[in-house]
C-alpha cells in the first residue's frame, strides 16, 4: 500500500488561507451590503477577494498532497512566549508605572527569550536600555508620558532625581552655540 | 520651472542643517540595524519607521530614505563579511564578496560596493529627477480603471519575484488586500470586519502590522536556533582598490547602473531582479567566467551598482503614481499616509519642496554613506560581533516605545503581539510576508478605484478592456502570470532562488 505523502507546511498554509477566506467571506455575506456591480456595497470587493482566497487555499492544499515537504523544524517556544509578552507588558504598565520602569520591564522580559542570557546581565542591559530611553525619548524628544507613574509609591519615586534642570541647562548650551557657518557657495 | 530650478529647490530643502541631520541620522541608524545579521532591509525600516513620526513630513521621508540606503549598505556589509545576506537583493553580493573576504580582500570588496553604489546612486538620482515630472503628467490622465489595472499588474509582478511557491504568494497578496479593508468603509461609512473591537474601526494599525510581521517574526526566527556566528576577520584593511581593481570595476559598474535603473522602475521589487540580472550579465560577458564564485571583483561591482540604482528608481512609481513597487516602498506609502500626504501624481505639484527635497536627499544620502561608511567600517565590523541576545531586547524595547509614540495607544502594542504571532506562523508555513504588506497598503486604494471605475462605466466591467491603457496593463498582467507559471521558467526561477540559499 502506498503511504500517504504530503507537504505539511503547504497543507497547513492552504488551510490557514481557507480559514481566513471563510472568516472574511461569511462576514461579508451575512453582515455587509453587497450592492450592485454598478454601485458596489461594502461587501462586494471583500466577498470577491474571499472567494479568490478560498480558491487559492484549496489549490495549495491540492498541490501539497503531490509531494513530500521538509519538516517544520524547531519552534521558538520560549522566544515566542517572552518576546511577544514584552510589548504587551509595556502597553499595560506604561501609564501606571511610568515610561522608565515600563521600558525596563519590557527589555528585561525580552532578554530572557534567549537561553544564553544570564540574569545579572539581563538586569544591567534592561537598566541601560531604560536609562537611554528616558534620556533620548522622554527628555530628548519630549514624549509626553509620565516618567514615573502613579503605581510607584511616592517615597520611592522621590528618590529618582529630577533631571529637568540639568537637561534644560544642556539644551541651553546648544541653543547659545554659534550658528553653523553659511555654505561657501553663497547661493 | 525647469529641472535645474527644481533640483536647486530640492537641494535647498534637503541641505538645511535640520534635514541634513535627519538624513545623517537615518543613514547611520539604517546601517546600524542593517548590519545586524538576520534583519533584512524591510524589517529594519519597519522597526525604525515609528521613530520618524515625530518629525515633519519632509524630514520624516528624508530620514526614511536615509534609513533605506543605510540598511541596504549594511546588508551588503554582512553579505561580504559573514556570507549572511539580510535581504535577497544582497544575496548575489555574498557569492563573490564573501570569497573576496576569505582571500583577505574584504576591505576592497566593501570599498568597491560603496563606490559602485555611489556612482549608481548619482546617475539614478538624476534619472528620477528627469523622468518623474513627465510621468506625473501622464499619471494625472489616469482614470480609476487604469489605476486598478496598474495595481493589479504591480501586485502580480511582485509575486514573480517572491521566494518559493507562487500560489502562496498570491494567497498572501489577497489576504493582505482583505486585511487592508478592515475598518470603516469610506463610501458608505459602515464598519467592516471589526468583530466588535472598537479599535479596528480606523483600520488595522499599519505600523503594528509592519513591526510585527517583519520585525518580531524575524527575531523569533533567529531565536529558533541560537548558534554563535563566526565573523571572518575583525580587522579590515586595504580599503582603497588598486588601479587594476578600478579598471576591472568600471565596466560592471556602468552596466549595473543601466540594468538597475531600468529594472527598478518595474513594479514588483526591481532591486532583487536587478542584482541577479547584473550578475548574470557580468558572468556571461566576462573573459574569465571561471573566476565568478571565487571572488571576482566584477561579481561585487555589477550587482551592487544595479541594486542601488534599482533602489533609487523604484521611487519613480511611488512619486508619480503613488503605487509602491516593493515592500519598502509600501512602507514609504504608509509613512506618507500617516503624515497626511496622499501619495500620487499630486505630490509633485502640491508639495514641490517635499518631492524635490526627497530626490535631492537621495543623492546626499549616498554621499553621506560613502563618507561615513568607509571610515567607520571598523565600527560596523564591531557591530557584527555583538551577540544577538544583547541586541534583540534593545530592539524590542525601542519598537515598543516607537509604536506607542505614534498614537499613545496601548492597543497598538497588543497588535504587535498578535501580528508577531501571525507573522511567525506564516514564516513557519513558508509564506513570505512581503506580498502581504503590499496587499495591505494597496487594498483600500484598489477597492476605491474599482468602485469608481464601475460607477463611471455604469456597472459595465468591460471598461477595463475597452480603455486602451487599462487593457494594455491587464494584458501585461496576464503575460507576467503566464510567464511565472510556465514550467520551464518556473524551473529556471527556482534555480535562481536556489543559488542564494
Amino acid at each position: 500500500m502506498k503511504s500517504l505523502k504530503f507537504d505539511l507546511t503547504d497543507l497547513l498554509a492552504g488551510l490557514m488561507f481557507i480559514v481566513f477566506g471563510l472568516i472574511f467571506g461569511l462576514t461579508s455575506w451575512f453582515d455587509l451590503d453587497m450592492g450592485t456591480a454598478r454601485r458596489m456595497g461594502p461587501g462586494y470587493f471583500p466577498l470577491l477577494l474571499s472567494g479568490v482566497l478560498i480558491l487559492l487555499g484549496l489549490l495549495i492544499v491540492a498541490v501539497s498532497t503531490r509531494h513530500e515537504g521538509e519538516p517544520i523544524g524547531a519552534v521558538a517556544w520560549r522566544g515566542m512566549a517572552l518576546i511577544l509578552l514584552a510589548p504587551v507588558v509595556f502597553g499595560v504598565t506604561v501609564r501606571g508605572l511610568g515610561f522608565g520602569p515600563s521600558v525596563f520591564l519590557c527589555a528585561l522580559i525580552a532578554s530572557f527569550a534567549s537561553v544564553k542570557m544570564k540574569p545579572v546581565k539581563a538586569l544591567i542591559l534592561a537598566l541601560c536600555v531604560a536609562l537611554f530611553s528616558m534620556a533620548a525619548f522622554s527628555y530628548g524628544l519630549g514624549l509626553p508620558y509620565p516618567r514615573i507613574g502613579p503605581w510607584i509609591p511616592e517615597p520611592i519615586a522621590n528618590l529618582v532625581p529630577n533631571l529637568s534642570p540639568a537637561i534644560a541647562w544642556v539644551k541651553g548650551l546648544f541653543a547659545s552655540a554659534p550658528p553653523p557657518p553659511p555654505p561657501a557657495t553663497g547661493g | 520651472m525647469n529641472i535645474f530650478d527644481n533640483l536647486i529647490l530640492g537641494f535647498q530643502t534637503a541641505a538645511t542643517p535640520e534635514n541634513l541631520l535627519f538624513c545623517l541620522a537615518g543613514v547611520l541608524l539604517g546601517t546600524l540595524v542593517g548590519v545586524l545579521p538576520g534583519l533584512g532591509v524591510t524589517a529594519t525600516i519597519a522597526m525604525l519607521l515609528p521613530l520618524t513620526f515625530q518629525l515633519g513630513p519632509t524630514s520624516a521621508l528624508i530620514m526614511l530614505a536615509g534609513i533605506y540606503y543605510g540598511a541596504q549598505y549594511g546588508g551588503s556589509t554582512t553579505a561580504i563579511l559573514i556570507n549572511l545576506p539580510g535581504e535577497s537583493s544582497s544575496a548575489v553580493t555574498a557569492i563573490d564578496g564573501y570569497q573576496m573576504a576569505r582571500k583577505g580582500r574584504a576591505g576592497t570588496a566593501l570599498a568597491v560596493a560603496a563606490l559602485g553604489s555611489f556612482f549608481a546612486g548619482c546617475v539614478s538620482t538624476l534619472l528620477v529627477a528627469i523622468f518623474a515630472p513627465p510621468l506625473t503628467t501622464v499619471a494625472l490622465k489616469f482614470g480609476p480603471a487604469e489605476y486598478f489595472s496598474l495595481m493589479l499588474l504591480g501586485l502580480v509582478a511582485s509575486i514573480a519575484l517572491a521566494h518559493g511557491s507562487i500560489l502562496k504568494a498570491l494567497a498572501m497578496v489577497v489576504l493582505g488586500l482583505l486585511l487592508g479593508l478592515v475598518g470603516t468603509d469610506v463610501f458608505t461609512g459602515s464598519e467592516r470586519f471589526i468583530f466588535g473591537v472598537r479599535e479596528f474601526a480606523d483600520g488595522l494599525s499599519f505600523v503594528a502590522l509592519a513591526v510585527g510581521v517583519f520585525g518580531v517574526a524575524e527575531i523569533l526566527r533567529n531565536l529558533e536556533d541560537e548558534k554563535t556566528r563566526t565573523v571572518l576577520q575583525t580587522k579590515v584593511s586595504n580599503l582603497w582598490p588598486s588601479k587594476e581593481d578600478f579598471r576591472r570595476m568600471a565596466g560592471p559598474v556602468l552596466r549595473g547602473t543601466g540594468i538597475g535603473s531600468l529594472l527598478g522602475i518595474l513594479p514588483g521589487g526591481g532591486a532583487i531582479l536587478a542584482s541577479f540580472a547584473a550578475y548574470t550579465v557580468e558572468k556571461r560577458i566576462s573573459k574569465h567566467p571561471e573566476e565568478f564564485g571565487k571572488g571576482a571583483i566584477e561579481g561585487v561591482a555589477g550587482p551592487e551598482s544595479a541594486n542601488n540604482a534599482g533602489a533609487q528608481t523604484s521611487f519613480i512609481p511611488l512619486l508619480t503614481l503613488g503605487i509602491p513597487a516593493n515592500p519598502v516602498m509600501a512602507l514609504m506609502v504608509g509613512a506618507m499616509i500617516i503624515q497626511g500626504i496622499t501619495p500620487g501624481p499630486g505630490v509633485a505639484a502640491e508639495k514641490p519642496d517635499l518631492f524635490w527635497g526627497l530626490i535631492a536627499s537621495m543623492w546626499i544620502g549616498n554621499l553621506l554613506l560613502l563618507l561615513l561608511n568607509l571610515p567607520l567600517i571598523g565600527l560596523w565590523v564591531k557591530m557584527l560581533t555583538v551577540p544577538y541576545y544583547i541586541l534583540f531586547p534593545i530592539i524590542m524595547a525601542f519598537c515598543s516605545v516607537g509604536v506607542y509614540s505614534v498614537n499613545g495607544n496601548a492597543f497598538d502594542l497588543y497588535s504587535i503581539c498578535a501580528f508577531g504571532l501571525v507573522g511567525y506562523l506564516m514564516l513557519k508555513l513558508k509564506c513570505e510576508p512581503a506580498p502581504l504588506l503590499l496587499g495591505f497598503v494597496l487594498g483600500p486604494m484598489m477597492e476605491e478605484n474599482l468602485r469608481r471605475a464601475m460607477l463611471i462605466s455604469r456597472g459595465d466591467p468591460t471598461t477595463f478592456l475597452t480603455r486602451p491603457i487599462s487593457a494594455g496593463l491587464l494584458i501585461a498582467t496576464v503575460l507576467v502570470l503566464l510567464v511565472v507559471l510556465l514550467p520551464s521558467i518556473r524551473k529556471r526561477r527556482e534555480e535562481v532562488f536556489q543559488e542564494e540559499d
Side-chain angles (χ1 to χ4, degrees):
Chain A
M1 205 178 100
K2 212 176 131 192
S3 66
L4 189 61
K5 274 186 182 177
F6 59 88
D7 186 335
L8 189 62
T9 17
D10 275 7
L11 181 72
L12 289 176
L15 290 175
M16 175 184 77
F17 290 125
I18 294 172
V19 168
F20 272 115
L22 284 175
I23 293 173
F24 278 101
L26 292 175
T27 318
S28 315
W29 184 253
F30 287 111
D31 291 357
L32 298 171
D33 178 25
M34 283 303 124
T36 59
R38 177 175 174 184
R39 204 172 280 278
M40 289 181 184
Y44 198 106
F45 192 51
L47 188 69
L48 204 76
L49 289 175
S50 308
V52 175
L53 189 59
I54 294 171
L55 198 73
L56 286 169
L58 288 172
L59 271 173
I60 293 168
V61 170
V63 172
S64 78
T65 56
R66 294 239 205 103
H67 57 102
E68 203 164 5
E70 304 155 33
I72 288 191
V75 177
W77 293 112
R78 181 190 172 122
M80 232 153 70
L82 292 162
I83 288 283
L84 296 177
L85 187 67
V88 174
V89 166
F90 181 77
V92 171
T93 60
V94 68
R95 277 176 200 282
L97 289 178
F99 186 73
S102 194
V103 171
F104 174 77
L105 265 185
C106 174
L108 189 68
I109 291 169
S111 298
F112 288 106
S114 168
V115 286
K116 291 184 182 166
M117 185 59 98
K118 304 279 184 299
V120 180
K121 253 187 181 173
L123 276 170
I124 297 171
L125 179 68
L127 197 65
C128 291
V129 172
L131 287 177
F132 177 83
S133 303
M134 289 278 267
F137 301 120
S138 193
Y139 288 105
L141 285 175
L143 291 187
Y145 315 122
R147 287 167 198 136
I148 304 288
W151 291 358
I152 301 205
E154 200 133 317
I156 299 176
N158 285 341
L159 291 178
V160 182
N162 182 11
L163 291 178
S164 294
I167 299 283
W169 181 74
V170 172
K171 275 188 179 165
L173 280 185
F174 279 100
S176 61
T185 45
Chain B
M1 277 224 294
N2 64 32
I3 172 176
F4 288 104
D5 292 334
N6 285 329
L7 277 179
I8 287 169
L9 171 69
F11 275 102
Q12 275 169 350
T13 314
T16 58
E18 196 194 337
N19 284 342
L20 268 182
L21 189 73
F22 288 126
C23 190
L24 177 69
V27 168
L28 272 178
L29 272 174
T31 318
L32 197 70
V33 184
V35 290
L36 306 181
L39 290 176
V41 178
T42 321
T44 305
I45 299 175
M47 291 191 292
L48 293 175
L49 189 65
L51 284 182
T52 64
F53 292 147
Q54 308 299 324
L55 314 173
T58 311
S59 306
L61 287 182
I62 285 177
M63 184 167 165
L64 269 179
I67 292 174
Y68 180 23
Y69 310 133
Q72 207 152 35
Y73 189 80
S76 314
T77 308
T78 37
I80 289 170
L81 290 180
I82 54 174
N83 199 14
L84 244 183
E87 191 91 336
S88 32
S89 62
S90 51
V92 191
T93 312
I95 303 173
D96 275 285
Y98 183 63
Q99 293 305 323
M100 278 180 80
R102 282 186 62 180
K103 287 181 183 165
R105 302 193 68 208
T108 314
L110 289 166
V112 165
L115 290 169
S117 297
F118 178 67
F119 176 80
C122 292
V123 173
S124 50
T125 303
L126 204 61
L127 287 177
V128 175
I130 293 170
F131 286 109
L135 273 172
T136 314
T137 32
V138 175
L140 283 172
K141 295 197 182 96
F142 272 30
E146 282 78 17
Y147 263 110
F148 180 81
S149 306
L150 186 68
M151 285 185 226
L152 206 62
L153 174 63
L155 286 176
V156 169
S158 73
I159 289 154
L161 299 166
H163 290 254
S165 158
I166 294 153
L167 278 177
K168 279 186 190 169
L170 267 175
M172 287 295 269
V173 165
V174 178
L175 183 59
L177 288 170
L178 277 168
L179 290 176
L181 297 180
V182 172
T184 311
D185 172 31
V186 282
F187 276 67
T188 60
S190 51
E191 289 175 337
R192 294 191 283 185
F193 314 116
I194 66 166
F195 304 109
V197 182
R198 190 171 42 84
E199 282 86 352
F200 283 174
D202 295 332
L204 301 177
S205 162
F206 172 77
V207 186
L209 180 93
V211 169
V213 170
F214 282 98
V216 176
E218 294 264 318
I219 288 178
L220 289 175
R221 174 150 72 178
N222 281 304
L223 277 172
E224 276 169 12
D225 177 22
E226 293 189 62
K227 271 186 292 192
T228 23
R229 314 186 291 270
T230 43
V231 178
L232 191 65
Q233 58 187 103
T234 41
K235 206 166 169 291
V236 177
S237 52
N238 288 334
L239 274 177
W240 203 246
S242 66
K243 246 189 199 141
E244 165 72 7
D245 292 332
F246 270 113
R247 202 184 50 73
R248 284 181 65 178
M249 71 186 263
V253 166
L254 279 173
R255 284 186 290 271
T257 305
I259 293 169
S261 304
L262 207 66
L263 293 177
I265 307 172
L266 295 185
I272 306 164
L273 189 65
S275 46
F276 277 108
Y279 190 79
T280 317
V281 166
E282 290 312 322
K283 196 171 175 179
R284 193 142 304 162
I285 65 170
S286 169
K287 283 179 201 133
H288 316 281
E290 72 282 353
E291 276 182 33
F292 278 77
K294 290 177 191 133
I297 196 166
E298 293 90 343
V300 176
E304 274 300 299
S305 316
N307 184 350
N308 204 39
Q312 222 103 317
T313 52
S314 62
F315 272 93
I316 291 181
L318 175 76
L319 289 172
T320 56
L321 301 163
I323 290 179
N326 55 46
V328 173
M329 291 300 127
L331 289 168
M332 297 290 278
V333 168
M336 283 171 110
I337 291 172
I338 289 173
Q339 293 280 359
I341 303 162
T342 317
V347 176
E350 286 155 24
K351 293 194 186 297
D353 54 329
L354 181 139
F355 184 87
W356 291 100
L358 184 59
I359 291 177
S361 77
M362 294 177 187
W363 187 79
I364 294 177
N366 275 298
L367 183 69
L368 288 176
L369 267 181
L370 190 67
L371 293 180
L372 280 175
N373 277 333
L374 291 183
L376 286 181
I377 195 72
L379 177 71
W380 306 135
V381 174
K382 280 257 161 50
M383 282 296 300
L384 291 174
T385 58
V386 176
Y388 197 71
Y389 66 87
I390 302 256
L391 293 171
F392 67 80
I394 304 178
I395 296 174
M396 281 312 294
F398 288 173
C399 276
S400 304
V401 172
V403 171
Y404 186 66
S405 72
V406 178
N407 286 326
N409 186 352
F411 185 78
D412 288 346
L413 292 163
Y414 312 147
S415 305
I416 299 186
C417 171
F419 286 128
L421 187 66
V422 173
Y424 183 56
L425 178 74
M426 285 167 175
L427 276 182
K428 291 305 296 179
L429 298 180
K430 296 207 174 73
C431 299
E432 282 291 312
L436 181 91
L437 189 73
L438 271 177
F440 183 78
V441 167
L442 286 177
M445 293 194 232
M446 238 179 138
E447 187 191 30
E448 195 187 329
N449 282 298
L450 173 69
R451 282 159 97 171
R452 284 190 11 219
M454 291 298 273
L455 203 61
I456 293 169
S457 74
R458 295 163 197 277
D460 178 12
T462 55
T463 179
F464 293 105
L465 296 170
T466 48
R467 294 177 68 109
I469 299 177
S470 168
L473 291 166
L474 284 181
I475 291 170
T477 310
V478 174
L479 282 180
V480 170
L481 212 52
L482 281 179
V483 162
V484 173
L485 290 171
L486 273 183
S488 60
I489 298 195
R490 227 167 102 182
K491 215 172 149 202
R492 173 90 191 98
R493 178 175 165 275
E494 273 155 22
E495 277 167 21
V496 167
F497 282 118
Q498 287 277 299
E499 261 176 56
E500 68 186 76
D501 294 331

